[in-house]
Amino acid sequence: MATLRDIKRKIGSINSTQTITRTMKMVSASKLRRAQEDLEKIRAYALKMEDLTSRVIARAPKEIHPLLAGREEIKNVLVVSIASDRGLCGGFNMNIALQAETFIAENRDKYERIGVYVFGKKVKDYLHRRKISVVKEWADIRKIDQDFVNTMANDLIKLYMEGEFDKIYLGYNHFHSAVKQIPVFEEFLPVKASGEPEGIDYLYEPERDKIIEALIPRYISTKIYFALLDSQTSEHAARMAAMENATSNCGEMINHLTLVYNKRRQESITNEMMDIVGGAEALRGT
């Protein structure tokens, strides 16, 4: 049975943990606000870029650009998994890791090869432990800027253009709200129009071929940039929620242990009083 000193020491330890989790929640809340601002800056541009690209390529023949033409036979597939380098954010990283693992398990017999292109140390470590092939990994990226995004986009374009992979999927957490993040898994390459062609065609200046040649790489880069910022915002929201739950759980544990401490202390006082009364009665009897 734990002594009063042990219980008091445990309460002190949980108090220290609660202070840490409360601080981490405040830090995550601050980072979340900044991340939301960055995400909102690019959201409208990314949506307009996707709409513009979809309308331009809807009437274009697939042979006009190699990133539009799908392969007749799909043998090799790449899954791009975007997560985080850090933990303590609930199921944020695990959702993306399980997403890739489940896709591989369900399609292992369908394709000759399924590779994973990873952003984030946590997913990389998870896949390595399960002997899953990781084509390339990005870790300890302190700042997501346009130069890094272009590097990542060019890397993926090269993997598809050189025929190493016939189809590429993209998986990340979408920021729905501060308390809800939705795992997204969608086809990334080849690029496809999101809707049916419109009933009208457009006049192109310069020629349509040149516009598509410049538009497709920009669209891919914007898509990756948006996915990275969306995932980063989701990470801060998930960590803030996890730390809030941890702080609340610490409070419940402290209340419970305080109740146990007071009960044990009262029992100890009662026993001492009983010993005193018993000793007095014994003396009176003699």
Side-chain angles (χ1 to χ4, degrees):
M1 181 180 294
T3 64
L4 290 175
R5 181 178 295 177
D6 293 335
I7 297 173
K8 197 169 184 179
R9 187 183 297 117
K10 186 175 291 186
I11 291 174
S13 175
I14 297 174
N15 263 319
S16 300
T17 302
Q18 188 181 46
T19 301
I20 294 171
T21 56
R22 187 182 292 113
T23 303
M24 290 183 67
K25 174 193 169 185
M26 295 171 62
V27 171
S28 294
S30 176
K31 290 183 177 180
L32 174 60
R33 284 193 294 271
R34 292 197 298 270
Q36 281 183 278
E37 291 173 359
D38 293 339
L39 182 62
E40 287 304 316
K41 289 177 183 177
I42 193 177
R43 185 190 300 276
Y45 177 80
L47 292 176
K48 182 58 69 174
M49 175 64 75
E50 185 168 2
D51 178 61
L52 174 63
T53 304
S54 179
R55 286 191 283 118
V56 170
I57 68 175
R59 287 184 170 275
K62 303 304 179 186
E63 298 76 19
I64 199 171
H65 196 283
L67 292 176
L68 300 179
R71 310 281 162 76
E72 293 183 1
E73 188 176 5
I74 308 298
K75 294 182 179 180
N76 303 316
V77 172
L78 181 67
V79 176
V80 180
S81 295
I82 298 176
S84 169
D85 292 326
R86 301 170 59 203
L88 298 177
C89 47
F92 173 82
N93 290 308
M94 188 57 64
N95 288 338
I96 301 303
L98 290 176
Q99 189 182 75
E101 186 181 25
T102 301
F103 179 84
I104 293 171
E106 292 177 350
N107 296 278
R108 184 176 286 111
D109 298 331
K110 185 177 179 181
Y111 304 115
E112 292 182 3
R113 179 192 177 195
I114 302 177
V116 185
Y117 189 103
V118 175
F119 180 92
K121 189 182 298 182
K122 293 297 181 180
V123 174
K124 177 202 72 173
D125 294 341
Y126 179 90
L127 296 176
H128 278 170
R129 288 195 298 269
R130 282 152 183 80
K131 311 299 182 184
I132 293 176
S133 170
V134 175
V135 175
K136 188 168 183 176
E137 57 198 45
W138 293 97
D140 298 321
I141 304 299
R142 300 301 177 186
K143 184 180 179 182
I144 298 173
D145 54 18
Q146 192 62 53
D147 290 337
F148 170 74
V149 172
N150 290 339
T151 300
M152 188 173 175
N154 292 335
D155 206 12
L156 293 173
I157 290 173
K158 182 179 179 182
L159 289 172
Y160 184 82
M161 296 272 282
E162 293 182 351
E164 188 169 347
F165 292 97
D166 304 313
K167 185 177 287 189
I168 299 178
Y169 290 91
L170 179 64
Y172 62 96
N173 281 296
H174 167 63
F175 177 76
H176 183 269
S177 68
V179 295
K180 185 177 182 181
Q181 299 82 45
I182 304 172
V184 174
F185 190 78
E186 58 187 11
E187 189 173 326
F188 184 52
L189 291 177
V191 179
K192 294 183 178 179
S194 58
E196 295 296 325
E198 297 179 355
I200 58 173
D201 203 354
Y202 300 92
L203 296 176
Y204 297 95
E205 180 64 35
E207 294 79 6
R208 182 173 61 182
D209 296 14
K210 293 182 179 179
I211 292 176
I212 291 178
E213 185 71 28
L215 185 62
I216 296 300
R218 179 66 61 86
Y219 163 75
I220 292 173
S221 176
T222 303
K223 183 78 172 177
I224 292 174
Y225 201 178
F226 180 76
L228 289 169
L229 291 182
D230 206 2
S231 176
Q232 188 178 67
T233 306
S234 298
E235 177 192 352
H236 296 317
R239 183 170 292 109
M240 184 181 72
M243 292 302 100
E244 183 176 4
N245 290 335
T247 302
S248 176
N249 291 338
C250 285
E252 292 177 5
M253 292 178 66
I254 289 171
N255 291 337
H256 172 71
L257 288 173
T258 301
L259 185 64
V260 173
Y261 176 84
N262 291 336
K263 186 177 179 180
R264 294 274 178 85
R265 186 166 176 269
Q266 188 62 47
E267 289 177 354
S268 175
I269 293 171
T270 302
N271 291 333
E272 289 177 3
M273 291 180 64
M274 292 294 291
D275 290 341
I276 293 172
V277 171
E281 288 295 332
L283 291 172
R284 188 178 296 131
T286 58

